[in-house]
Amino acid sequence: MVRSTPAEEPEHVLVLHETTGPRTGPRSRRRPRVAARDEPVVPVTIATVIEATATAVDDAPSELAGAGQATADAAFAILRTAVHGHRVAAADPSVAEVVAEHALVVRVGYGSGEEVAEGRWTAARELP
């Protein structure tokens, strides 16, 4: 959970989930598919930044429509802070820096807490 100060309520929740996916070329933007048994796979980390402040359900579609690069930049800043903390706590300077160019996809959406934490949404859209 991300707080400005320890006494405050959390502003964001960061959920990390590691999975594997089939190895694809650098320009591949096709839909994911199930890897064959002999096909090499690569680890993929799914990072979900959840805004912890409650938004009225009626306001969510308009906020989704207005979300853009600033929304993605704010989420990447939170993720970079968490990775930096891990790098320091683990005393492992080799942990890779988080950069937007390495993301396979960036989505913004809304849904219930558990729904979003599991990578599902009531509604979502991909950002360029």
Side-chain angles (χ1 to χ4, degrees):
M1 291 190 227
V2 181
R3 298 178 171 103
S4 295
T5 63
E8 290 184 2
E9 288 295 315
E11 296 173 7
H12 297 88
V13 175
L14 176 62
V15 179
L16 299 173
H17 173 74
E18 188 170 308
T19 185
T20 56
R23 186 178 301 266
T24 60
R27 296 179 354 139
S28 177
R29 293 300 246 182
R30 62 185 160 186
R31 289 188 162 181
R33 58 184 175 79
V34 177
R37 288 186 186 198
D38 58 347
E39 186 176 351
V41 294
V42 293
V44 175
T45 301
I46 299 170
T48 305
V49 178
I50 303 168
E51 188 174 325
T53 57
T55 299
V57 175
D58 295 339
D59 296 338
S62 62
E63 287 189 25
L64 176 60
Q69 190 60 46
T71 305
D73 291 344
F76 275 106
I78 291 166
L79 183 56
R80 276 192 292 277
T81 300
V83 168
H84 174 73
H86 170 73
R87 188 181 298 121
V88 170
D92 186 358
S94 67
V95 174
E97 189 66 36
V98 175
V99 291
E101 291 78 20
H102 294 164
L104 299 176
V105 66
V106 177
R107 292 186 187 100
V108 63
Y110 64 90
S112 68
E114 282 191 26
E115 181 182 42
V116 175
E118 294 176 4
R120 298 184 325 248
W121 302 272
T122 299
R125 66 183 181 91
E126 287 187 12
L127 296 178

